[in-house]
Each structure stands twice: as C-alpha cells, then as structure tokens.
Amino acid sequence: MKKTLLPGVTYERAVQFTPHGPVALHVVTGPRPTGLYALQPVLSNETITGTERVTAMQKRLSPAATMVGVNGDMFNWSSGRPSGVLIRNGIVENPPYGDRSSVGIAPDGSIDVRRVEFFGTWRGLGQRRSLNDVNQLPGPNGVSLFTRSYGPATPAIAGGVAAVIQPLPPATPNTDLAGPVIQLTPAGTVPIPPDGAVLVARGTSAQRLTEEAFVGTPVTLRIIFRPEWTGIANAIGGGPVIVRDRG
C-alpha cells in the first residue's frame, strides 16, 4: 500500500522473491526533481572525513527542507571518505574513479550514469605537473589537493611539503583554478583556508613543489574529467551499473 509522505511523493514496501530468498524493497516515488523538488547528495558531517547516520543528516537539515533520505554511496569504513565521486552544486569534493559508475544530476532533473575518469594538473614556475588526487593522502611521489570540504586541516604526512594557496576559486572541473602561494611548509597538520586550498606533495613531487611553487608564486590547477560531463550540478559514485536508459 502506498503512503503519501508529502504532496507528490509516495512510499511503498514491496517484496521480491529470489533464488536466495525474499528481498524487501523500499520504493520512494516522486516528481522530476525540479522547481520545489530536488535530488541532492549530502555529505556526512559536512566533511570528507568521519561518518554520520542518515537519520542524523536528516535531522540536521530538517529546519531547511522536508526530505526523504536514502543511503547514496558506500564509503571507507576507517576514514569515512566516499567510495566514488561527490559533486555538490558544481564543486568537486571527491573525484570519480574511472572503473566505477558515477551518477550525475543535471539542473533540469535528468540523470546521467556513466564511467568518468579523473585527471589533474598543477603548474607553478615550471611545466604542468600531475595532480594525483583530491582530498586524499598522496602516494609516495604524488600530489593531492585538499579543499575545505576535507575538513579544517590537512592530515599530517611525514617528509611531505604543503603549499597553501589563497585565494583560490572553488574546485569546479575542467576549469583553470589560479591563486598565489602564501605559505610553503612541511606537510604537518596545515589549516585549509575557507577561500583557498592546500597542495600536499611527497617524494620527488615535494621537491618540485618546493622549487616551483615557493611563496608568492602564482599556481594554476585543473581538475579534469573525461568525458567532460558538462552540465552536471551534483553527483555521487558507486559500483557497477544496475539501471541504465530506463524509459
């Protein structure tokens, strides 16, 4: 039996029998997410690190909206980091993984499911260099960009170097993001400015960052998606594609 949760939105519980036994399905049906309705991802604790129950997220957001909450993605159990892409209001908070499916939500309410690959670059006084990740510890010779979505400060990394860039535009994909280096420091727990970001490098990349992005140097970053995935305002990642091109 369908129950009305709010005007135009219903809930029903169904049971599907499989060779492994019955499976309960919880189905929420609503209008196309435009106008007064929206389909948007929520980040636990408003930071990449840490976890939060879905019910707690709903309570936190309830003063601003009436909502139905569902689990949207898996995450790393030790850190809380989403297991795939996370884009909110056009800003990349976690990059996509090319071997997993990503679900993009356009402003007109349409949904685009595809595999999207992440590449990145940074450039100081030298040539363009690889940017290996966003809001994740870099590898032994890698470089990662930490934005305020990660939390108030970067994680400490032994033997690394951090370049604080401020101001820096929000991390939108396929766009040059430019700003000056205001601090170059060993990569301890470095505060992330609300209107900036921190480049953290290790190994050979730390040496390049030191030589090519010292204090006062203008740095240009680019978060690259292939395909470009234009027109996507919000997105989450996941695992294998289950539904595609449903009419």
Side-chain angles (χ1 to χ4, degrees), residues 106-117:
D108 66 359
S110 60
I111 293 177
D112 184 2
V113 180
R114 65 173 70 197
R115 290 186 176 182
V116 180
E117 293 184 288

Side-chain angles (χ1 to χ4, degrees), residues 3-10 29-31 36-37 66 68:
K3 296 181 180 179
T4 299
L5 301 180
L6 59 146
V9 180
T10 62
T29 303
L36 296 176
Y37 298 91
T66 301
V68 177

